[in-house]
Amino acid sequence: MQTPSIFLLLCFAMTDRKKIATDICRYVQSELSKISNPKKASCMAAYMKSDPSIFYGVQKPDRSPIVSGIRATFSIEDQASYEEAVGALWNLPHREEKYLALDLARMHKKYISPSAMNLYESMIRTGAWWDFVDDIACNLVGRVLLENRKDTKKIMDRWIKDDDTWIRRAAILSQLKHKQDTDHRTLFRYCRTCMGESEFFIKKAIGWALREYSKTDPDRVLIFVEKEKCNLSGLSYREGTKILKKNGLA
């Protein structure tokens, strides 16, 4: 019997990856369609300042069974299949499909790796709103950075200077969950790089990042905000010092 060529094996693997991605997309669309709610879609669109036509009207609690169904039904066995499936689901037109793409991305922790950073960057650029970007920054990019700091930090250093507001916001928020493992020098440098901006979502991100880190190292944050008080926006300063003030430190 003739041994299949490497080329044929690669073709079979690629076909299998695409089939899994296609099957996941069909499953998600079918399940969301069954429980779509136009009235809720209008409310969700108003909250997100979006077009109602890109919502099914299926809120997070009602999406949980679909997440469980994906986990139980579909097996993703390698990095390429992970990126194919997450990317395919993300590229569907409705917001709930993209939320489920994020659920799928977080579900497979071993594939949240440097290899997926191009995918995550693309999702930030195309998602371009806080509900998507913050999840990607904190739970996907942040995890890659924490576990692969040396290489991923170079990417974050590029992102903080990017022309895209949402890429810069993601860089600022990338250490939000790092607690005692936060690289405070990088956090403060990123804040300094962007604190002259007038963009609301950047000012808010700076304040959020500082506030979160103040739970771990209040002294360092206090020193930073007092030193940079004249340069930080009022919003960044207020947000960044909320916990410090609550604890009588600022």
Side-chain angles (χ1 to χ4, degrees):
M1 182 181 294
Q2 187 176 7
T3 303
S5 68
I6 293 175
F7 175 75
L8 284 175
L9 290 173
L10 288 173
C11 287
F12 290 147
M14 189 177 298
T15 301
D16 191 49
R17 288 198 297 269
K18 289 186 178 299
K19 183 180 186 307
I20 292 169
T22 299
D23 288 348
I24 291 174
C25 289
R26 287 174 176 166
Y27 171 79
V28 164
Q29 289 179 310
S30 174
E31 294 303 305
L32 287 171
S33 295
K34 291 175 187 175
I35 54 175
S36 62
N37 186 319
K39 186 175 181 180
K40 286 185 178 179
S42 295
C43 294
M44 292 169 72
Y47 178 69
M48 296 306 305
K49 300 179 181 179
S50 299
D51 182 350
S53 68
I54 61 172
F55 286 89
Y56 284 95
V58 180
Q59 294 172 317
K60 187 173 182 178
D62 296 319
R63 294 196 302 269
S64 293
I66 302 176
V67 175
S68 298
I70 294 172
R71 182 182 286 109
T73 307
F74 301 99
S75 178
I76 292 179
E77 301 294 344
D78 56 50
Q79 185 73 36
S81 296
Y82 168 82
E83 293 179 31
E84 182 83 32
V86 172
L89 195 50
W90 177 263
N91 287 330
L92 295 178
H94 295 85
R95 280 189 104 77
E96 291 95 333
E97 293 157 348
K98 297 184 192 300
Y99 293 143
L100 287 162
L102 294 177
D103 289 323
L104 177 63
R106 291 193 307 272
M107 191 186 300
H108 296 278
K109 291 182 171 53
K110 67 179 177 179
Y111 302 131
I112 303 175
S113 69
S115 298
M117 284 297 291
N118 287 338
L119 171 64
Y120 300 154
E121 180 175 347
S122 175
M123 290 164 71
I124 291 169
R125 291 186 188 279
T126 56
W129 199 239
W130 63 266
D131 56 333
F132 294 141
V133 172
D134 295 358
D135 194 346
I136 297 166
C138 298
N139 297 312
L140 299 174
V141 172
R143 185 181 180 93
V144 177
L145 177 61
L146 183 62
E147 296 181 354
N148 305 271
R149 191 171 294 278
K150 183 179 178 181
D151 292 331
T152 312
K153 183 176 177 294
K154 296 175 185 177
I155 299 173
M156 294 300 99
D157 284 348
R158 172 171 59 82
W159 283 16
I160 198 64
K161 298 175 183 177
D162 198 277
D163 290 339
D164 190 315
T165 295
W166 299 105
I167 292 289
R168 296 196 305 280
R169 180 176 168 98
I172 295 167
L173 298 179
S174 61
Q175 297 193 84
L176 199 72
K177 294 187 174 183
H178 289 194
K179 298 182 180 180
Q180 71 275 7
D181 293 315
T182 298
D183 177 351
H184 68 275
R185 291 181 180 85
T186 296
L187 171 61
F188 295 155
R189 176 164 60 86
Y190 286 3
C191 290
R192 287 190 180 99
T193 297
C194 296
M195 62 188 180
E197 295 190 34
S198 60
E199 171 57 54
F200 169 83
F201 287 105
I202 293 296
K203 294 188 289 187
K204 189 77 171 179
I206 290 171
W208 185 14
L210 292 172
R211 184 177 76 242
E212 196 65 23
Y213 187 48
S214 75
K215 298 175 184 177
T216 298
D217 198 335
D219 293 338
R220 276 204 173 105
V221 174
L222 180 61
I223 291 169
F224 176 81
V225 295
E226 291 305 318
K227 182 178 180 180
E228 300 294 346
K229 187 173 183 178
C230 293
N231 299 313
L232 287 165
S233 69
L235 174 59
S236 296
Y237 183 83
R238 288 192 302 274
E239 289 291 324
T241 57
K242 272 184 178 179
I243 293 174
L244 296 175
K245 288 181 177 179
K246 182 179 178 182
N247 294 332
L249 297 175

